[in-house]
Structure formats: structure tokens, C-alpha cells
Amino acid sequence: MMGWDAPVSEVRGVGPARAGALARRGVRTLQDLLFLVPQRYRQPAPFSPVADAVAGERLSVVGWVRARRRGRLRRRGGNYLELGFEDEGGTRVRIRFYNQAWLFDRMPPGSRLLASGALSRTAVGVMVADHWVLLEEEEDPAPRLDALLPVLPTVAGVAPGTLSRLVADALGFAEALGDPLPETVRDVAAVAPLATALRAVHFPQGREAVEAGGVRLLFDRMLALALPMAAA
């Protein structure tokens, strides 16, 4: 049965090359990956019509996917998904997601999309996206800008979007594992279950949830430091 110390290669999408890149960052086990917590959080950029944006400016746009294609990066390696996108004002732009070609099946033509990113300074008519949400046809997108977007530590050789997906897959394992901290101790310390805390910090549903998750992780670290001292 898989445990917290299972090799990170057990996570879907971690082959030998990616496992090596993670190991160089000190990530060798499932627990290492899950404890690679965000360095900070940011919010999506404000809404702006594509027609009013300038190169290098961060913005969020809402509109529809009109076309899609996958491509390969010849010089630096890797892949990308490029969407033909039309915003609500009728302006067209190409939206690229680097090293996230796996999103292809999630964004068929006709999908209503909120995307955040920046207009490229070098490729005319291209927006490089770093956040996206599929919207219902009549959904008000404004509340989506209240989201907290985690910024994970940099891992050379692993794109941020890919790293986030690996963490999400690892969380699926974590929720099936037992909590190393007994329930009686959690109740006395008033801390959340470990899997709940990890999900809260990696995929936050609000600042209070992030803070509660952080309290549990801090408690575990303090406990790890205190136990050897108590045994000495």
C-alpha cells in the first residue's frame, strides 16, 4: 500500500527525467511534493478588453474558444496549446498555454473561458496565459477574480502549470492515506486533518482556509523539531 514516503515517480506524469528534476529540488517522495507549498498567493489581473491592452500588460479576458491546436517548441523544447479566442467585444487573440498541451481536450471550440495572463512583447496578437477558468454560458465572471492563485517554488525542468497538476494528482493519493497525527491530538491542538490542510494551501478557497491549512503544516514542523529534543 502506498504511503507518504512513496517515491514521487508513483504520481502520474512523473517519468525518469521529471523525477530527476524534482530530486534536484529535494523532492523525492509523495510527502516532499505535497510539502512544496506555495511561496505566496496572487490574484488574477483586472478585466480588460483585448482591443485596449498593450504588450506586456497583464489582463483577464472573457470570451469564447473558436479554435485550438497543439504545437512543439523547437528551440527550447516543450509544448504548448494555442487557442483562437474571441473576447466579448469581438476582438480576436491567440492565447497560449506553455507546456500545458494536456488542456486540449478541456477547451473545445464554443467553450466560454476566463483567461488571465499578459500580451506577448515579441509575438503580435498572442496572450500568454497563466490562469484559466471554464465558465457557464450565463455565469457572471466577476467573482472569479477574487480567487487566490498559488505561486509554487521554481523547479528547474518542470513548468509551473505541470508542477501544479502533479500536486493535484498527489493530493488524490494523500486523501486516501491515514493522517500521521492521531485524531485525539488534532482535536486537542485544534488543527485540520493533513490532507485537508494540504488541499487548502495548494488550491485555496479563501484566506481563512489558507490560514487554517498553514496552522496545521506549521504544527507538524514544530512537532518534528520538538520530538527529537524530548527524546534526548
Side-chain angles (χ1 to χ4, degrees):
M1 182 177 176
M2 183 178 294
W4 291 97
D5 59 351
V8 73
S9 57
E10 293 289 337
V11 177
R12 181 170 59 92
V14 180
R18 194 161 283 163
L22 289 166
R24 288 190 288 276
R25 185 62 172 76
V27 176
R28 296 179 174 83
T29 68
L30 182 67
Q31 179 172 309
D32 293 337
L33 178 59
L34 290 170
F35 276 73
L36 195 67
V37 296
Q39 295 176 317
R40 58 185 176 87
Y41 298 89
R42 59 179 177 80
Q43 289 188 283
F47 287 122
S48 174
V50 173
D52 295 341
V54 297
E57 180 183 9
R58 291 191 55 79
L59 71 158
S60 292
V61 295
V62 174
W64 294 268
V65 177
R66 298 306 187 197
R68 58 182 175 169
R69 71 182 183 91
R70 287 175 282 206
R72 300 290 301 178
L73 300 170
R74 295 181 180 179
R75 293 185 179 180
R76 59 183 183 181
N79 60 65
Y80 63 87
L81 168 66
E82 183 175 285
L83 302 178
F85 180 86
E86 181 180 352
D87 76 1
E88 292 181 319
T91 302
R92 298 233 175 182
V93 68
R94 290 174 290 155
I95 299 182
R96 283 192 177 184
F97 299 84
Y98 285 107
N99 292 307
Q100 297 181 73
W102 54 273
L103 291 173
F104 184 87
D105 292 333
R106 299 192 184 185
M107 300 180 180
S111 300
R112 186 165 179 248
L113 181 73
L114 182 158
S116 298
L119 287 183
S120 173
R121 296 181 184 275
T122 56
V124 178
V126 173
M127 173 179 168
V128 179
D130 53 24
H131 175 63
W132 62 274
V133 179
L134 288 173
L135 301 170
E136 298 293 335
E137 194 58 33
E138 301 299 326
E139 181 180 350
D140 178 6
R144 298 285 191 168
L145 291 191
D146 290 333
L148 292 176
L149 307 180
V151 179
L152 291 169
T154 300
V155 176
V158 182
T162 299
L163 185 59
S164 180
R165 179 165 59 92
L166 296 178
V167 169
D169 287 344
L171 276 170
F173 290 119
E175 288 167 352
L177 297 174
D179 194 315
L181 198 63
E183 184 176 0
T184 53
V185 178
R186 297 200 307 268
D187 289 344
V188 171
V191 294
L194 183 55
T196 301
L198 289 167
R199 180 166 292 280
V201 299
H202 282 295
F203 298 97
Q205 297 300 310
R207 295 188 183 278
E208 289 185 3
V210 171
E211 290 172 1
V215 167
R216 168 60 201 268
L217 300 186
L218 180 60
F219 181 86
D220 282 20
R221 290 175 180 171
M222 293 177 65
L223 190 62
L225 291 172
L227 287 176
M229 297 173 62

